[in-house]
Amino acid sequence: MEFDKIDRELLKLLQEDCKLTNKQLSLKLNLSVTAVYERIKKLEKNEVIKKYVALVNKEKINKSFVAFCHIKLTQHSHDFVVDFEKNVTTLKEVVACFHVSGDYDYLLKVVVADMAEFREFIVNKLTSIHHIGSTHSMFVINEVKHTTAVNI
């Protein structure tokens, strides 16, 4: 899909605040409300816009402990990879999972209340997944930058 300048600006505005109305967007983009509506529908249809979400303040819901876990599988067979990915997606504490290159196979972002809950997660949930050979965890000291916006 080709993006023109208006598509790019529309995506930028929606990433900043997806609750802007089509009327508000039309004023910012100098387009009609119908034109904005049609552009958004086209972006959704082509799955450029996958879904709309609310970003939650982790501190307000007592989930401010963030850890990154490197995971190494015992083998790299298709069955092991598929099984690990199926199981890790069921863990509610894992907010992101990436299959990566390098010394480890996966990088997980885990969000929990505190160190005790993280230990509980590791001991009772993560280690119950078959085919994990080793893990290495790092804890966030301070979140310097966090955005979901993709530069377009």
Side-chain angles (χ1 to χ4, degrees):
M1 180 177 168
E2 299 266 338
F3 300 111
D4 63 17
K5 182 180 177 186
I6 295 171
D7 287 329
R8 292 177 194 282
E9 185 62 24
L10 176 58
L11 286 167
K12 179 179 171 261
L13 291 167
L14 288 171
Q15 286 185 103
E16 289 171 4
D17 183 0
C18 71
K19 289 190 75 172
L20 290 171
T21 65
N22 287 349
K23 173 92 172 149
Q24 291 170 314
L25 291 165
S26 72
L27 293 171
K28 290 178 183 283
L29 297 169
N30 200 25
L31 292 175
S32 71
V33 173
T34 304
V36 168
Y37 174 83
E38 292 298 327
R39 282 179 181 264
I40 291 172
K41 286 298 166 204
K42 183 176 91 175
L43 292 166
E44 291 171 345
K45 181 181 177 209
N46 287 297
E47 295 183 347
V48 174
I49 298 174
K50 291 173 62 174
K51 64 180 170 179
Y52 300 91
V53 299
L55 299 180
V56 176
N57 182 334
K58 293 183 296 295
E59 286 77 25
K60 299 285 185 182
I61 61 164
N62 193 32
K63 295 287 181 185
S64 59
F65 190 88
V66 178
F68 289 93
C69 300
H70 292 94
I71 307 293
K72 189 179 289 189
L73 299 182
T74 55
Q75 291 182 28
H76 298 103
S77 71
H78 178 267
D79 290 343
F80 281 27
V81 168
V82 169
D83 188 54
F84 173 80
E85 290 179 1
K86 183 183 88 173
N87 284 294
V88 79
T89 60
T90 67
L91 302 175
K92 64 180 176 21
E93 296 87 353
V94 176
V95 298
C97 174
F98 304 96
H99 193 173
V100 296
S101 64
D103 292 337
Y104 290 89
D105 301 312
Y106 289 91
L107 177 63
L108 310 181
K109 182 178 180 183
V110 178
V111 178
V112 292
D114 53 28
M115 180 60 85
E117 189 176 334
F118 181 72
R119 182 183 187 288
E120 181 78 15
F121 165 77
I122 292 290
V123 171
N124 295 319
K125 292 186 178 181
L126 190 61
T127 58
S128 70
I129 296 178
H130 300 294
H131 318 304
I132 293 179
S134 65
T135 65
H136 174 82
S137 298
M138 299 176 294
F139 312 108
V140 172
I141 295 168
N142 183 37
E143 189 172 280
V144 177
K145 179 180 179 181
H146 177 92
T147 182
T148 60
V150 176
N151 188 24
I152 301 168

